[in-house]
Amino acid sequence: MARLNVNPTRMVLASLKKQLNVAVRGHRLMKDKRDELMKRFLELARENMKLRKEVEAQLTEVYASFSVASAVMTPSMMEEALMYPKQGVHLQVGNKNIMSVNVPEFDFETTSTEAGNIYPYGFANTSGELDTAIEKLSEIFPTMLKLAAMEKEAAMLADEIEKTRRRVNALEYVKIPQYEETIRYIRMKLEEDQRSTQTRLQKVKDMLVKDAQEEKRERDAENYARFREKEAACGQ
């Protein structure tokens, strides 16, 4: 693993240690977030699968009723019956936060509360199968809206899981090893510099001791010479 290109100083070492601690804590939090997102995603996938099967089964019934109605009624009668709906829908989109991911929530209001307004036609010239199809389609609309929100939530959670996984891997396999390798390098350089400094200090100390010894020998020699001179003077 390539280390960071920094100066091997104690200040840089202290800074890298702090950054390593932050990276380790961030890695732990990211892993916890990834695991929690995975748990939520799997629960959501199971709910989504169950709800999708329900919607598909209900839509199959709706399509079957529409097929029968199409067989009984002419295309012009079918088009005329469905041309002008009596009831409208106002869709409302909200948000909820799941592990820092804002996922949508859908709700709706109908423009009319009367149950009969779901049929945009009179009953004189239409088939009962068309009435059944319209009624079933109106009943499953809230479920379809819930399924749409759930699938959008699953897609957004999947994207966030992928982003979190990449961040976890980047911290685990790139940033943290880089910090550790750089810290190890700086420590080795500092220890090497310290050993070099100690060696230089030892050499300086040896030189000072040697100089002191030389000076002491010279003083001793001078003192001895003076002593001999005095002794010779006294003998005369």
Side-chain angles (χ1 to χ4, degrees), residues 6-232:
V6 295
N7 293 324
T9 62
R10 295 189 182 277
M11 186 177 297
V12 173
L13 178 62
S15 176
L16 286 176
K17 285 181 178 179
K18 292 180 181 178
Q19 293 179 36
L20 177 61
N21 291 333
V22 172
V24 170
R25 286 200 304 270
H27 177 257
R28 184 169 60 251
L29 292 174
M30 284 290 180
K31 284 187 68 176
D32 292 342
K33 178 182 178 180
R34 181 196 61 188
D35 295 342
E36 187 62 29
L37 284 171
M38 285 294 299
K39 179 181 177 182
R40 172 61 184 165
F41 178 80
L42 293 175
E43 293 174 354
L44 189 64
R46 286 191 288 267
E47 295 175 9
N48 189 12
M49 184 180 298
K50 180 180 178 182
L51 192 61
R52 174 172 280 277
K53 288 181 179 179
E54 293 177 5
V55 170
E56 288 177 350
Q58 292 173 338
L59 284 177
T60 300
E61 296 178 3
V62 171
Y63 293 148
S65 298
F66 267 118
S67 297
V68 174
S70 298
V72 175
M73 300 171 61
T74 63
S76 60
M77 292 174 60
M78 178 75 74
E79 183 178 354
E80 181 180 352
L82 301 176
M83 185 176 296
Y84 300 106
K86 292 182 180 179
Q87 193 177 69
V89 173
H90 294 301
L91 182 64
Q92 299 173 350
V93 181
N95 289 302
K96 64 179 179 180
N97 189 282
I98 299 178
M99 299 294 292
S100 73
V101 181
N102 290 322
V103 298
E105 282 186 319
F106 299 143
D107 197 5
F108 73 97
E109 291 182 358
T110 57
T111 56
S112 175
T113 58
E114 295 183 15
N117 285 338
I118 63 173
Y119 306 106
Y121 50 79
F123 298 104
N125 299 321
T126 56
S127 168
E129 293 296 332
L130 182 61
D131 300 341
T132 302
I134 295 294
E135 182 180 359
K136 289 181 178 179
L137 194 60
S138 176
E139 290 175 355
I140 67 172
F141 180 73
T143 309
M144 292 174 65
L145 205 58
K146 181 180 179 182
L147 178 62
M150 193 175 293
E151 290 190 341
K152 182 62 176 178
E153 179 181 344
M156 295 179 71
L157 287 180
D159 289 340
E160 187 66 20
I161 288 171
E162 180 63 20
K163 291 178 184 177
T164 306
R165 184 188 66 82
R166 290 179 180 176
R167 290 169 184 164
V168 169
N169 290 342
L171 287 171
E172 184 173 353
Y173 298 110
V174 180
K175 297 304 294 183
I176 291 178
Q178 274 186 342
Y179 287 139
E180 291 176 343
E181 180 66 23
T182 307
I183 288 173
R184 190 179 304 112
Y185 163 74
I186 293 177
R187 282 175 174 167
M188 290 175 59
K189 288 293 292 182
L190 291 176
E191 290 174 358
E192 181 180 348
D193 292 342
Q194 185 177 5
R195 286 193 297 269
S196 299
T197 301
Q198 290 178 347
T199 302
R200 287 195 299 270
L201 290 176
Q202 186 64 40
K203 288 182 178 180
V204 171
K205 181 181 178 181
D206 293 341
M207 291 173 62
L208 292 175
V209 170
K210 184 178 180 180
D211 291 342
Q213 291 175 347
E214 289 291 336
E215 290 179 0
K216 186 176 183 302
R217 280 196 295 268
E218 289 177 358
R219 287 196 302 270
D220 290 343
E222 291 176 358
N223 292 334
Y224 181 75
R226 292 194 192 98
F227 174 76
R228 294 294 295 173
E229 289 177 356
K230 289 182 181 179
E231 189 177 54

